[in-house]
Amino acid sequence: MKRLSVVLLGASVLLLASCDSTESKKAARPAAQAMAPSIQQPATTSSPSNPPTPPAQAPAKAQTPDKAQTPAPQPEKADPVPGIIAEAEKAYESGQANYKAGHLDAAKQDFNHAVDILMQGPVDVKSDDRLQEEFDKITEEINKLEMAAFKEGDGFTEQQPVPAPIDEANQVEPSADPNVKAKAEADLKNIQSDLPLMINEYVAGYISYFSTRGRGVFEGAWTRSGRYREMIFRVFKEEGVPQDLIYMAQAESGFKPMALSRARARGMWQFMASRGVGYGLRRTWWVDDRQDPEKATRAAARHLKDLYNQFGDWYLAMAAYNSGPGNVQQAVKRTGYADFWELYKRNVLPGETKNYVPIILAMTIMSKNPAQYGLDAVQPDPPLSYDAVAVDYPVDLRLVAECVDAPLEQLVDLNPSLLRRTTPKDQSFDLHLPAGSKVKYETAIASIPKEKRVVWRYYKVQQGDTLTGVARKYRTTERAISQANDLQSTELATDVKLVIPVSGAGANEKIVYSRYPSRYKTHTGDTVLTVAEDFGVPPERLRRWNGLKGNGLRRGRVLTIYKPLAPGEPDKAPARRRKKAHTSTAKPKSDTAAAPGQKEPLNAKTQ
């Protein structure tokens, strides 16, 4: 998130400039929004054809040369200050509205404009107590908002997930093109794969879809695959599973580590929380291992191996990965067929699961023959490379970015398992840094006390910066900055980095919960602990809200949950979905828990 810090620096510079230029100002120009004087002359109307009539005067008398004429009384001058204040308030309120809406660039411009109105008006701020009071109030409020932005990584603002591509593909009703099917069948003879591949009308229908309407989804996944391909092949080899299972991740998440499905399956391999725990993927307030590419890949390989050992067939193993082994086992038991396509035809599998295997096969066949489908010009990303350093303290990713001179977005991409832009405060974490920056980070972070690494900052001095301006910008004191950096002078050298001792409550700040309840319908395998972890609430609160004892939950129970709020986040009631007047067969599109009074939609990920 971009900072609003430039606002205060600009304000400080303008204030100093105003002080220097006050004496040289000429007579003040009239304000655009001047208030009416306390005594007004009667108004007159005029037009080009009817000029205003001058006021009546007594007949002029002859004057002696040494006698001056008595000047006419002048109207009282309008006071421009109330208009200046009103205009500044209007700009500031616009900035507040943009800030709350998350439009930080627009908010920054509004705040800068509010300060400019006060600093560049016809009346010097320091010469009028009303303007000085308004200036102090606005800059103080901007400082508060800036501090709220600094707390973005203190453990309260959660990373935003992205939609899982598998949900979009599941909405498609594929229609097989005979020509596409014929070409795919011909190509299949030349494709080498460690999975059984086949073409039928269902697979050909998805090849048609990914070649046309879904091409953007396919190309995006194909491009991102380059980042993780080497790692996935290595892990699969170590775990002894087919390499071509990689295309499950391409279909499920498009290789997006922060993908979240409508069924709340998460990560590159789309694990439900309960299933992930069973394969060692932890989920806490700070970290979700389902979003760690390598950890989730290893868990997926082990889970798939277990499913293959159970069913003896990779198609059934993939189906069980999607809907849970219990659903597939029940379908086999009902029909007597341990064959995916027989179960497909007999319609005994969930709709999403029926689509799941054909989608994966279509992606596999297209990826194995990129030239046939016009993909040879699409270049995969280079493999992801990074340095890793084990940390046992909480540190804000923005501070990490400042330590290694890298964009914040790069640190977020390298550490997708962090749910909040802060490493955990109560457990160790392997922090990923840009390749070659480990020593640079360890040298820089050593100058900041461990307990301050969530709120303190590094700042690179810019040309024209003053110690006063930097201190005001970060809501700290000149003395604190001087002591932290052992400064012997108030003059700052350009490009020097300063440790900024910012005050703040940090990760120990009290959590506030919404007053409005959300509803969640439990799935098979859910427990109090896994649901509490998934929603970021303490298990004891979840039990108290729902009158629960122990850890077990029966499938289909609707739980009441009050979600935690980020600092400054408005407390809004969950939106209710309107009921349609007609019967629809479209699949539900909700990716969150159902609103009060609604039923949770059934999804493929119901393990």
Side-chain angles (χ1 to χ4, degrees):
M1 179 180 288
K2 294 184 180 178
R3 301 186 190 156
L4 305 176
S5 54
V6 297
V7 175
L8 300 181
L9 178 58
S12 302
V13 173
L14 288 171
L15 181 57
L16 293 174
S18 175
C19 295
D20 293 338
S21 61
T22 301
E23 295 179 359
S24 63
K25 283 188 175 181
K26 295 182 180 181
R29 58 183 181 274
Q33 296 184 7
M35 291 184 65
S38 55
I39 301 176
Q40 270 187 316
Q41 299 296 328
T44 60
T45 58
S46 63
S47 66
S49 60
N50 183 28
T53 304
Q57 295 181 358
K61 294 182 179 179
Q63 295 183 2
T64 57
D66 59 341
K67 240 181 192 182
Q69 187 177 16
T70 303
Q74 298 295 319
E76 184 177 336
K77 288 185 178 180
D79 181 3
V81 172
I84 296 172
I85 291 175
E87 191 177 352
E89 281 284 342
K90 183 178 179 181
Y92 171 69
E93 288 171 2
S94 176
Q96 279 188 314
N98 278 316
Y99 180 90
K100 291 176 181 177
H103 305 148
L104 298 189
D105 286 338
K108 180 177 67 177
Q109 293 176 10
D110 288 333
F111 291 148
N112 277 328
H113 183 48
V115 174
D116 288 345
I117 290 170
L118 296 172
M119 297 300 301
Q120 299 176 2
V123 180
D124 178 43
V125 170
K126 298 188 71 176
S127 70
D128 190 286
D129 290 341
R130 295 168 297 174
L131 287 178
Q132 184 66 58
E133 182 180 354
E134 179 70 12
F135 179 85
D136 291 341
K137 185 192 80 170
I138 285 184
T139 52
E140 178 69 18
E141 290 301 314
I142 293 172
N143 272 324
K144 289 179 182 178
L145 294 178
E146 184 183 25
M147 285 306 301
F150 278 137
K151 290 181 181 179
E152 176 186 315
D154 70 358
F156 289 87
T157 302
E158 187 171 3
Q159 296 280 52
Q160 293 301 308
V162 295
I166 192 68
D167 284 337
E168 181 177 341
N170 269 325
Q171 303 299 312
V172 175
E173 295 182 2
S175 176
D177 184 326
N179 293 328
V180 170
K181 184 179 178 183
K183 288 182 179 180
E185 287 175 339
D187 293 336
L188 197 58
K189 299 175 183 178
N190 301 318
I191 292 177
Q192 298 295 321
S193 176
D194 52 8
L195 282 176
L197 299 180
M198 67 169 296
I199 289 289
N200 56 27
E201 59 183 299
Y202 313 117
V203 177
Y206 277 108
I207 291 177
S208 296
Y209 167 69
F210 289 122
S211 299
T212 53
R213 287 182 296 147
R215 187 173 182 85
V217 174
F218 188 95
E219 288 188 356
W222 176 258
T223 301
R224 284 187 295 274
S225 70
R227 305 179 192 180
Y228 307 105
R229 185 179 297 274
E230 291 182 5
M231 178 272 292
I232 293 173
F233 284 164
R234 170 176 56 81
V235 171
F236 280 5
K237 183 177 181 180
E238 292 169 356
E239 296 296 332
V241 298
Q243 303 278 286
D244 285 345
L245 289 173
I246 187 175
Y247 300 110
M248 288 179 60
Q250 185 166 315
E252 287 255 29
S253 66
F255 296 104
K256 297 176 181 178
M258 289 189 283
L260 179 68
S261 77
R262 295 178 183 129
R264 302 192 68 79
R266 189 181 287 265
M268 188 186 297
W269 291 94
Q270 290 290 282
F271 273 98
M272 294 294 288
S274 56
R275 186 67 63 188
V277 169
Y279 284 89
L281 301 179
R282 62 180 175 173
R283 168 67 159 84
T284 69
W285 175 262
W286 308 98
V287 174
D288 193 330
D289 284 342
R290 293 176 292 171
Q291 296 183 181
D292 183 296
E294 183 158 348
K295 290 180 179 179
T297 296
R298 194 168 297 279
R302 293 174 178 175
H303 184 31
L304 284 164
K305 187 194 298 185
D306 289 343
L307 293 172
Y308 179 77
N309 290 337
Q310 179 178 351
F311 294 101
D313 178 271
W314 281 116
Y315 290 176
L316 291 178
M318 287 188 280
Y321 187 94
N322 176 258
S323 66
N327 283 335
V328 175
Q329 189 65 54
Q330 184 65 26
V332 170
K333 185 177 179 180
R334 284 175 55 192
T335 63
Y337 286 97
D339 178 87
F340 173 78
W341 298 110
E342 282 293 335
L343 301 181
Y344 187 108
K345 294 173 184 176
R346 294 169 184 270
N347 202 29
V348 291
L349 293 172
E352 291 86 348
T353 306
K354 289 176 62 178
N355 295 336
Y356 186 75
V357 173
I359 288 171
I360 295 170
L361 293 179
M363 283 206 163
T364 304
I365 292 169
M366 293 177 69
S367 299
K368 287 283 187 178
N369 192 0
Q372 170 69 26
Y373 299 99
L375 297 169
D376 46 344
V378 181
Q379 292 299 316
D381 290 339
L384 206 60
S385 61
Y386 53 82
D387 289 350
V389 57
V391 299
D392 58 358
Y393 50 81
V395 57
D396 190 320
L397 286 186
R398 285 173 302 172
L399 177 58
V400 177
E402 291 164 353
C403 286
V404 298
D405 291 316
L408 172 61
E409 293 75 13
Q410 185 177 5
L411 271 300
V412 173
D413 287 343
L414 289 173
N415 297 277
S417 65
L418 287 180
L419 294 177
R420 294 160 175 85
R421 297 183 178 182
T422 305
T423 60
K425 66 175 182 177
D426 52 1
Q427 63 195 57
S428 62
F429 181 79
D430 287 335
L431 179 64
H432 293 173
L433 305 170
S437 65
K438 180 177 180 179
V439 174
K440 187 175 185 179
Y441 170 74
E442 291 177 332
T443 301
I445 202 67
S447 61
I448 297 182
K450 277 190 175 183
E451 67 276 10
K452 303 295 185 182
R453 292 173 183 175
V454 169
V455 291
W456 282 25
R457 294 285 176 268
Y458 259 144
Y459 177 70
K460 189 174 183 179
V461 177
Q462 308 296 315
Q463 187 174 5
D465 278 346
T466 65
L467 186 60
T468 301
V470 173
R472 188 167 190 176
K473 175 179 178 179
Y474 284 95
R475 283 181 52 81
T476 186
T477 65
E478 298 176 44
R479 181 179 179 184
I481 296 176
S482 295
Q483 290 178 343
N485 296 276
D486 195 24
L487 298 179
Q488 304 301 316
S489 169
T490 58
E491 293 185 2
L492 301 178
T494 303
D495 293 336
V496 170
K497 276 200 167 185
L498 299 177
V499 173
I500 308 295
V502 181
S503 61
N508 296 317
E509 192 169 329
K510 185 178 179 181
I511 300 173
V512 177
Y513 295 90
S514 173
R515 293 177 293 118
Y516 302 102
S518 296
R519 311 293 183 193
Y520 174 69
K521 188 174 181 180
T522 59
H523 300 85
T524 301
D526 278 345
T527 67
V528 168
L529 292 178
T530 60
V531 173
E533 288 176 352
D534 214 29
F535 284 89
V537 300
E540 58 271 19
R541 282 185 177 266
L542 185 62
R543 292 190 182 98
R544 186 165 68 248
W545 293 333
N546 295 277
L548 300 171
K549 294 182 180 180
N551 192 42
L553 290 172
R554 61 176 174 79
R555 178 179 178 177
R557 173 160 185 166
V558 178
L559 298 178
T560 298
I561 299 171
Y562 296 85
K563 295 182 179 180
L565 300 174
E569 179 184 354
D571 190 6
K572 297 181 179 179
R576 293 178 180 271
R577 183 177 298 178
R578 294 180 180 178
K579 293 183 178 179
K580 294 184 178 181
H582 59 84
T583 302
S584 174
T585 58
K587 297 180 179 67
K589 296 185 178 180
S590 172
D591 60 353
T592 59
Q598 286 184 291
K599 292 183 178 180
E600 180 75 0
L602 295 177
N603 295 282
K605 288 285 185 177
T606 56
Q607 302 152 337

